[in-house]
């Protein structure tokens, strides 16, 4: 019994550090918090060893009536435990130096530990009650961290807006949990997924899936509720990095954890695919117009969270989990290293002439990128573009390869040097190989834990075609941008995009005094 509860010791260590910070304080708090973070990482590694030795399973419940603490250990929770504990330890170590000398460093460190503990309880939750409690605790701790500088108006606005969306999302998750409990007769998450896989739950499962989707959308800052995320830069840099330790991507984790329930509601998945795809395109376009490094990174996170929701909407749950891991690691590093990046850019010399591709070069680039993608896909055992891979996965890979096509266009420009052409072709091949290899690895490691992607119907085919065309057109427009950048319409478009098409301002006006009244 004690061995199966091993993963629970990771958040308990951080809770102990948080309690010490709030009650005792003093100069020892940062060192103690860093030690607790490293201890949580060691527990996560031990949990992985336990998973490899004994297989997936859920511990016994420490509580009664289906309410209490229980640890679910499988490929999904083990991956998230390692991610959250590793990024959390790095953030705590970074904060120890970053906030050195701040009068409220102990207060900040305590809430940082509390937020990490909440996420660790969340990703290993074996029952609905623990999941909901951890969800609420994480939101409360993040709210405190966003107000580290309470005198800043922008920080107050971001925190209050986040509180409104968090309250709605928490209500949706509570409703989903109640419906799942009534429909399936249990609070055990693994049992709920097993029953949903067998087709039980009827309309209650569909309703629960809809509420789960709403909670995930609000948690992951999907359009048009993304404003708080782009305003979070008023908080200290460690908070921005902390968001990628299972906080901002908790919405994607929620959909992955209840993947079998979500498959019972194809209409809900379709809405997620459309909203996620639009958010990804919107965030990526706005990101290109932002002059500040951290603001640009925040908009990049909006785009990446949209792409994650798109993956879940296409029922590519193993790929969505892989996306969470990869994006969290590189984006947390990007935020922590943002100051150094500014110094490096400031010291760079002005580059020389850049090769500008014309329409023919862009066309050749996209055809070459797709040819490379298809060739490497065939080398991975595909037959006529499908084979063992789902059409959804192939469509997603096509979208990813469009980003490489933009680089290829630079290499195929008439004025481009030959080494650049060879290098960009190599990048295209490496991206395709990496996509198929990582996708295969993710599916293999989560087999039996996450459901296989179902065969697409007419609605799914329509969504895939729309997504591929939309991302393709945007990629072509970006590659051809130097040719029409001097047009007056381009300057106006840039202004509108830099302001996020004023969606955040519209949300502020709509929420009015409710969202913006003074926090107590």
């Amino acid at each position: 019994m004690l061995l199966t509860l091993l993963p629970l010791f990771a958040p308990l260590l951080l809770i102990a550090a948080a309690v010490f910070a709030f009650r005792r304080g003093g100069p020892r708090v940062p060192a103690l918090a860093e030690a607790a973070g490293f201890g949580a990482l060691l527990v996560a590694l031990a949990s992985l060893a336990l998973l490899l030795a004994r297989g997936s399973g859920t511990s016994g419940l420490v509580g009664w009536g289906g309410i209490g603490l229980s640890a679910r250990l499988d490929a999904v929770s083990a991956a998230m435990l390692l991610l959250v504990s590793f990024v959390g330890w790095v953030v705590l170590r970074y904060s120890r130096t970053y906030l050195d000398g701040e009068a409220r460093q102990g207060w900040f460190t305590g809430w940082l530990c509390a937020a990490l503990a909440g996420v660790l309880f969340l990703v290993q939750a074996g029952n609905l009650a623990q999941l909901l409690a951890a969800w609420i605790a994480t939101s409360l701790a993040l709210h405190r961290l966003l107000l580290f500088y309470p005198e800043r108006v922008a920080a107050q606005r971001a925190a209050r807006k986040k509180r409104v969306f968090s309250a709605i999302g928490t209500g949706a998750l509570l409703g989903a949990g109640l419906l799942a409990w009534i429909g399936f007769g249990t609070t055990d998450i693994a049992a709920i997924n097993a029953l949903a896989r067998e087709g039980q739950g009827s309309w209650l499962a569909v309703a629960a899936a809809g509420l789960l989707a709403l909670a995930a959308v609000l948690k992951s800052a999907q359009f048009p509720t993304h404003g708080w995320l782009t305003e979070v830069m008023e908080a200290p840099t460690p908070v921005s990095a902390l968001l990628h330790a299972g906080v901002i991507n908790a919405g994607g984790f929620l959909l992955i954890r209840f993947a079998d329930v979500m498959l019972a509601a194809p209409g809900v998945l379709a809405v997620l695919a459309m909203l996620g795809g639009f958010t990804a395109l919107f965030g990526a376009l706005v990101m290109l117009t932002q002059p500040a490094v951290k603001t640009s990174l925040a908009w990049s996170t909006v785009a990446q969270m949209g792409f994650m929701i798109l993956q879940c909407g296409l029922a590519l749950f193993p790929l969505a989990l892989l996306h969470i891991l990869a994006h969290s690691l590189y984006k947390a590093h990007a935020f922590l290293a943002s100051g150094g990046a500014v110094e490096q850019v400031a010291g760079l010399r002005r580059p020389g002439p850049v090769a500008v591709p014309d329409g023919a070069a862009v066309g050749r680039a996209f055809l070459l990128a797709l040819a490379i993608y298809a060739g490497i896909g065939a080398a991975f055992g595909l037959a006529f573009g499908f084979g063992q891979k789902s059409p959804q996965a192939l469509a997603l890979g096509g979208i990813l390869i469009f980003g490489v096509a933009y680089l290829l266009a630079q290499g195929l420009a008439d004025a481009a040097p030959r080494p650049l052409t060879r290098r960009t072709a190599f990048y295209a091949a490496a991206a395709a190989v990496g996509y198929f290899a990582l996708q295969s690895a993710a599916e293999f490691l989560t087999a039996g834990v996450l459901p296989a992607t179902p065969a697409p119907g007419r609605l799914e085919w329509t969504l895939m075609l729309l997504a591929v065309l939309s991302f393709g057109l945007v990629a072509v427009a970006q590659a051809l941008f130097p040719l029409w950048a001097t047009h007056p319409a381009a300057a106006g478009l840039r202004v509108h995009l830099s302001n996020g098409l004023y969606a955040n301002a519209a949300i502020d006006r709509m929420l009015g005094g409710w969202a913006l009244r003074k926090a107590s």
Side-chain angles (χ1 to χ4, degrees):
M1 174 70 174
L2 186 60
L3 188 61
T4 58
L5 291 173
L6 174 65
L8 292 173
F9 284 92
L12 291 177
L13 287 172
L14 289 161
I15 288 178
V19 171
F20 182 87
F22 294 141
R23 298 194 63 178
R24 295 289 186 88
R28 291 182 295 174
V29 167
L32 180 63
E34 182 185 340
F38 185 68
L41 177 59
L42 293 179
V43 172
L45 290 171
S47 301
L48 175 61
L50 180 64
L51 173 64
L52 296 175
R54 303 183 59 173
S56 302
T58 304
S59 71
L61 180 71
V62 181
W64 58 276
I67 299 176
L69 293 178
S70 59
R72 173 66 183 170
L73 188 58
D74 56 21
V76 175
S77 61
M80 293 299 296
L81 280 170
L82 286 170
L83 171 70
V84 175
S85 58
F86 175 70
V87 175
W89 172 56
V90 172
V91 171
L92 286 169
R93 183 177 177 83
Y94 180 89
S95 301
R96 185 177 175 181
T97 302
Y98 183 85
L99 293 171
D100 188 28
E102 285 275 0
R104 301 167 68 228
Q105 182 180 11
W107 182 94
F108 179 88
T109 304
W111 283 112
L112 200 60
C113 290
L116 288 169
V119 178
L120 287 171
F121 273 125
L122 174 70
V123 299
Q124 63 180 293
N127 64 86
L128 294 173
Q130 179 181 334
L131 181 79
L132 179 62
W135 185 278
I136 295 173
T138 303
S139 295
L140 291 176
L142 178 62
H143 180 76
R144 294 295 182 181
L145 290 170
L146 293 179
L147 289 174
F148 182 70
Y149 297 118
E151 71 281 359
R152 296 184 179 180
V153 176
Q156 296 174 15
R157 183 169 59 247
R160 293 166 190 167
K161 194 180 305 179
K162 175 65 172 64
R163 185 175 58 179
V164 170
F165 294 136
S166 292
I168 299 173
T170 299
L173 183 58
L174 175 61
L178 290 174
L179 290 175
W181 177 50
I182 295 171
F184 298 104
T186 179
T187 62
D188 185 87
I189 295 175
I192 289 173
N193 277 315
L195 292 171
R197 197 178 303 123
E198 297 172 1
Q200 300 187 30
S202 64
W203 65 271
L204 289 174
V206 177
L211 291 176
L212 287 171
L214 176 59
V217 163
L218 292 172
K219 193 72 168 182
S220 297
Q222 298 299 285
F223 181 91
T225 67
H226 59 277
W228 70 269
L229 179 58
T230 59
E231 295 171 355
V232 78
M233 300 305 104
E234 290 297 320
T237 296
V239 177
S240 303
L242 172 71
L243 286 174
H244 299 85
V247 178
I248 184 65
N249 38 37
F253 168 78
L254 184 68
L255 298 175
I256 294 168
R257 178 48 83 200
F258 290 94
D260 292 288
V261 177
M262 300 307 301
L263 288 179
V268 174
L269 290 179
V271 173
L272 286 174
M274 289 186 286
L275 181 59
F278 178 81
T279 302
L281 285 172
F282 170 74
L285 289 173
V286 176
M287 177 198 70
L288 297 175
T289 66
Q290 301 302 308
V293 173
K294 290 179 64 176
T295 305
S296 179
L297 289 173
W299 278 104
S300 172
T301 295
V302 172
Q304 293 292 336
M305 291 302 97
F307 205 74
M308 176 192 67
I309 295 296
L310 170 64
Q311 290 168 323
C312 292
L314 295 177
L316 295 169
F317 297 107
L319 270 176
L321 177 62
L322 177 64
H323 189 169
I324 288 176
L325 298 176
H327 173 255
S328 297
L329 290 172
Y330 96 79
K331 189 58 69 67
H333 172 267
F335 271 110
L336 295 180
S338 59
V342 172
E343 294 176 0
Q344 292 177 7
V345 171
L348 291 177
R349 292 180 298 176
R350 184 179 298 275
V354 178
V356 178
D358 56 12
V362 171
R364 292 195 303 270
F366 277 79
L367 289 176
L368 179 58
L370 291 175
I372 292 174
Y373 176 68
I376 292 178
F380 269 82
L382 304 182
F384 302 104
F386 291 92
Q388 298 179 350
K389 301 297 181 183
S390 66
Q392 293 95 319
L394 292 172
L396 189 72
I399 292 173
L400 292 175
I401 207 67
F402 287 150
V404 182
Y406 169 76
L407 294 177
L408 279 173
Q410 317 303 313
L412 294 178
D414 292 336
R418 191 174 299 274
L420 177 61
T421 304
R422 290 195 298 265
R423 188 163 63 249
T424 52
F426 171 78
Y427 291 158
V433 170
Y435 173 74
F436 284 111
L438 291 173
Q439 178 201 5
S440 300
E443 291 175 347
F444 173 77
L445 293 174
T446 57
V449 178
L450 296 178
T453 304
R458 183 177 299 177
L459 176 60
E460 288 76 17
W461 278 109
T462 302
L463 290 174
M464 286 188 288
L465 179 61
L466 181 63
V468 170
L469 289 177
S470 300
F471 281 91
L473 287 174
V474 170
V476 170
Q478 183 183 4
L480 293 175
F481 181 76
L483 300 179
W484 53 277
T486 56
H487 194 279
L493 178 61
R494 183 181 182 87
V495 171
H496 298 318
L497 285 175
S498 66
N499 287 281
L501 300 182
Y502 312 102
N504 191 37
I507 288 293
D508 285 342
R509 189 176 300 111
M510 183 176 64
L511 292 177
W514 180 41
L516 300 178
R517 66 173 177 263
K518 187 175 181 180
S520 58

